[in-house]
Amino acid sequence: EQLESRIDNNSDMVFYSESLLAKNEILDYYEQVDYYPVWINDSSLNKNGEDMVYLVENAFNYGLFPDFFHNTAIKKSIDSSLLDTELLLTNSFFLYITHLSAGFLDTTDMTYSWKKDSVNFDFIEELDKVRKTENLTELISSYQPKHWEYIQLQKGLEKFVTEYELDTAHFTIPKFKEDSIKCYNVAKEALIAHHFLDSSSNDASFIERLKDFQLLNGLLDDAIVGKWTGSVLEISNTDRFYQAMLSLEKWRWKKPNEMPDRYIRVNIPAYTFKFWNKNKVVRQHRVIVGAYATQTPEFHATLRRFVTNPFWHLPYSIASTESLSGIKKDTAYFSDRGMKIFREGAEVNPNTVDWSAVNNTNFRYKVRQDGGGSNSLGRIKFLFPNHHSVYFHDTPSKRLFKNDVRAYSHGCVRLHLPFDFAKSLLVVDEHQIVPDTLDSLIARGTQRVVKLNTPFEVYLEYYTASGDSLGNIIFHSE
């Protein structure tokens, strides 16, 4: 009766605040259950009420903000009006489960939104589950995406925000080559501010924690404050939280069961390639992706075939700039690189062209590099048609795979150990070509198009945070 009276009394009741997004759903619920409370008893919060308050206060664990759920108002209402607390917690529950299931950003304009139309919840049924559960945290967590990579990321973020305060400190790290002592002194200040190091720590502790910090940020743990280590030391833990927050959000935008049984996923800022089959990673590879000026785009496509010892048909943007500049400096530029030029389908002898009269506005040639070990695509490429003209391929420049930051390409994805991936692909595809035959094709320099029996989905995506199997989060430089 008290709760019904509180709802009916619209004088200064928190329930009538425009900020309570779920007020209509709240009213519908309490009318149906004859105003029986969910979160409180006669004089205090019940067990689920206490747990819901805890979940609101610790929303950071899920990549959410406590203020999404009126954390301050809830704390005040506990001391002033438990009836208001009851209504606020119901509002928080409805928003919480929707945010975890479908996200909290409108994908059209990236503004905060309660995406109730993106879920098929019967909110009355969902709240009834609260009455029956003995573990509210477990119930709340069940609304999250079930994908392994999301789960690991969420666990990793929870560990991170538990261990490290979300500071807002920013630094400018001096370049090591300009002032090595100042570089390391400021790096130490940054680690202290980011709560990775105690101010009384000795040099040995500083080095060890610097290595830990590098691993957390997806970098080689060499304790050298180079360009990339310096850049991640400059930003705050709150910035890192935002990276994880957006990455979790992007996972929630995916539809349930959107990812097929088998697919390839490249996380661009992590420089990682994973081949999934039946919820297991069959293979994981390092990749080289587009440089800053020629970034690899995000998109979804379908892999249907691969080619051994492929030709490389140079994109016009490269042929008319880099190649043209090369031939003007060295008449043997094309022949030294196994390249041929064509005009209107006919091969042209480059020595017969007056290159001094050619520029990037009147370049009328197509350039092709023949297959072989020196080909820029290496000895194999994997094709998944897309309007970006991006594909996976081998490369003769293997040394770059040793670097922790690997953004060097013109946009395509260079794959480490591509033949191992191709062999796994053939096995999973139950293809008539066996791995030994693939070795033979490569060794003989035979160009062959291998069409797969069943297409494989390919996802090139941009997630600036991920989790590992040990429950750790890893942040990736943007």
Side-chain angles (χ1 to χ4, degrees):
E1 291 181 3
Q2 287 182 322
L3 185 57
E4 181 179 5
S5 175
R6 190 62 171 158
I7 290 174
D8 288 341
N9 177 10
N10 63 1
S11 56
D12 60 350
M13 224 299 286
V14 66
F15 178 66
Y16 287 91
S17 167
E18 289 298 322
S19 62
L20 279 186
L21 298 179
K23 58 185 178 182
N24 293 329
E25 286 75 14
I26 295 171
L27 181 58
D28 289 343
Y29 176 77
Y30 285 107
E31 284 180 344
Q32 292 203 33
V33 299
D34 199 24
Y35 299 94
Y36 192 82
V38 179
W39 312 103
I40 62 174
N41 51 38
D42 290 340
S43 58
S44 64
L45 293 168
N46 60 27
K47 175 64 166 53
N48 280 335
E50 292 175 350
D51 289 347
M52 192 68 223
V53 170
Y54 176 85
L55 285 163
V56 169
E57 291 176 340
N58 293 275
F60 293 112
N61 293 345
Y62 296 92
L64 304 169
F65 288 128
D67 285 346
F68 285 174
F69 313 108
H70 306 289
N71 182 47
T72 302
I74 289 171
K75 289 180 178 178
K76 290 180 178 178
S77 69
I78 291 173
D79 296 327
S80 60
S81 172
L82 280 177
L83 297 176
D84 286 359
T85 306
E86 169 75 18
L87 300 171
L88 284 165
L89 289 179
T90 299
N91 180 79
S92 297
F93 175 77
F94 287 161
L95 269 61
Y96 219 116
I97 64 175
T98 310
H99 289 355
L100 288 182
S101 179
F104 59 87
L105 289 175
D106 188 316
T107 55
T108 57
D109 57 10
M110 298 298 284
T111 57
Y112 176 79
S113 173
W114 182 35
K115 302 170 72 172
K116 64 177 181 178
D117 294 333
S118 298
V119 296
N120 58 357
F121 296 154
D122 181 322
F123 287 100
I124 293 173
E125 291 182 4
E126 301 308 316
L127 199 51
D128 280 342
K129 293 178 183 178
V130 174
R131 297 185 185 278
K132 300 173 183 176
T133 188
E134 295 181 357
N135 190 328
L136 184 65
T137 300
E138 188 176 280
L139 174 64
I140 289 282
S141 297
S142 70
Y143 291 93
Q144 299 185 98
K146 303 299 189 291
H147 195 280
W148 183 89
E149 293 199 65
Y150 173 94
I151 295 169
Q152 297 306 118
L153 172 57
Q154 189 272 313
K155 288 180 179 178
L157 177 60
E158 185 170 348
K159 180 180 178 182
F160 175 74
V161 298
T162 300
E163 294 182 357
Y164 303 105
E165 184 178 330
L166 298 183
D167 71 278
T168 57
H170 288 85
F171 293 83
T172 299
I173 307 295
K175 293 182 179 179
F176 178 83
K177 292 181 179 179
E178 295 177 358
D179 191 333
S180 60
I181 295 176
K182 187 175 182 181
C183 172
Y184 272 83
N185 285 340
V186 178
K188 184 174 182 179
E189 291 176 17
L191 284 184
I192 293 170
H194 301 330
H195 306 280
F196 278 78
L197 188 67
D198 186 86
S199 58
S200 61
S201 298
N202 57 29
D203 289 345
S205 296
F206 164 62
I207 293 299
E208 288 306 308
R209 294 302 284 147
L210 178 58
K211 290 181 178 180
D212 292 340
F213 182 82
Q214 288 175 314
L215 290 175
L216 178 77
N217 289 277
L219 301 173
L220 179 67
D221 56 337
D222 56 8
I224 297 173
V225 183
K227 174 183 177 181
W228 298 109
T229 296
S231 67
V232 294
L233 280 166
E234 291 181 339
I235 66 175
S236 68
N237 285 346
T238 296
D239 295 323
R240 275 177 272 278
F241 172 79
Y242 287 142
Q243 290 181 232
M245 184 184 205
L246 184 55
S247 294
L248 287 169
E249 177 72 1
K250 290 176 73 173
W251 276 112
R252 295 173 189 136
W253 292 345
K254 295 181 182 293
K255 298 176 182 177
N257 304 316
E258 177 180 328
M259 309 300 275
D261 285 342
R262 56 190 199 180
Y263 61 93
I264 297 111
R265 179 174 180 267
V266 173
N267 187 9
I268 297 167
Y271 313 106
T272 56
F273 171 111
K274 293 181 180 179
F275 176 27
W276 288 81
N277 183 42
K278 297 179 180 178
N279 295 318
K280 292 184 179 180
V281 178
V282 179
R283 293 207 59 83
Q284 180 167 332
H285 296 254
R286 290 185 161 214
V287 293
I288 293 169
V289 301
Y292 180 78
T294 54
Q295 296 182 32
T296 301
E298 286 188 281
F299 64 92
H300 166 223
T302 304
L303 173 65
R304 301 181 187 279
R305 62 190 188 278
F306 63 83
V307 182
T308 61
N309 298 295
F311 292 146
W312 180 34
H313 298 276
L314 278 68
Y316 182 83
S317 60
I318 298 176
S320 63
T321 53
E322 295 179 24
S323 298
L324 179 59
S325 176
I327 192 63
K328 287 186 174 185
K329 295 176 183 177
D330 180 4
T331 56
Y333 179 88
F334 286 130
S335 59
D336 287 349
R337 290 162 177 75
M339 293 179 177
K340 296 176 181 178
I341 64 171
F342 299 83
R343 184 163 183 172
E344 297 179 355
E347 185 175 353
V348 176
N349 184 342
N351 295 323
T352 65
V353 178
D354 179 9
W355 294 109
S356 64
V358 180
N359 56 51
N360 61 2
T361 63
N362 64 2
F363 189 89
R364 301 292 182 264
Y365 303 93
K366 294 186 181 298
V367 182
R368 186 189 79 191
Q369 186 177 39
D370 290 338
S374 61
N375 183 289
S376 295
L377 304 185
R379 292 188 175 274
I380 191 168
K381 72 174 178 179
F382 303 85
L383 299 170
F384 37 97
N386 60 88
H387 68 271
H388 304 286
S389 298
V390 166
Y391 41 83
F392 304 142
H393 65 86
D394 182 24
T395 175
S397 303
K398 314 292 188 189
R399 60 182 178 80
L400 296 177
F401 287 110
K402 296 179 181 179
N403 298 347
D404 43 5
V405 176
R406 299 184 293 278
Y408 302 108
S409 82
H410 288 92
C412 285
V413 177
R414 304 177 195 171
L415 183 59
H416 190 228
L417 303 177
F419 311 117
D420 292 346
F421 165 62
K423 291 175 183 178
S424 294
L425 197 62
L426 292 171
V427 171
V428 173
D429 191 50
E430 299 180 351
H431 205 280
Q432 62 271 26
I433 294 180
V434 297
D436 287 347
T437 302
L438 180 64
D439 287 336
S440 179
L441 291 171
I442 298 296
R444 294 200 309 267
T446 303
Q447 184 175 101
R448 180 165 176 180
V449 177
V450 178
K451 185 177 180 181
L452 300 171
N453 295 323
T454 307
F456 289 70
E457 299 307 300
V458 174
Y459 299 86
L460 279 79
E461 301 181 319
Y462 203 96
Y463 286 70
T464 53
S466 59
D468 65 19
S469 58
L470 300 176
N472 300 309
I473 193 169
I474 303 169
F475 299 100
H476 311 295
S477 298
E478 299 184 56

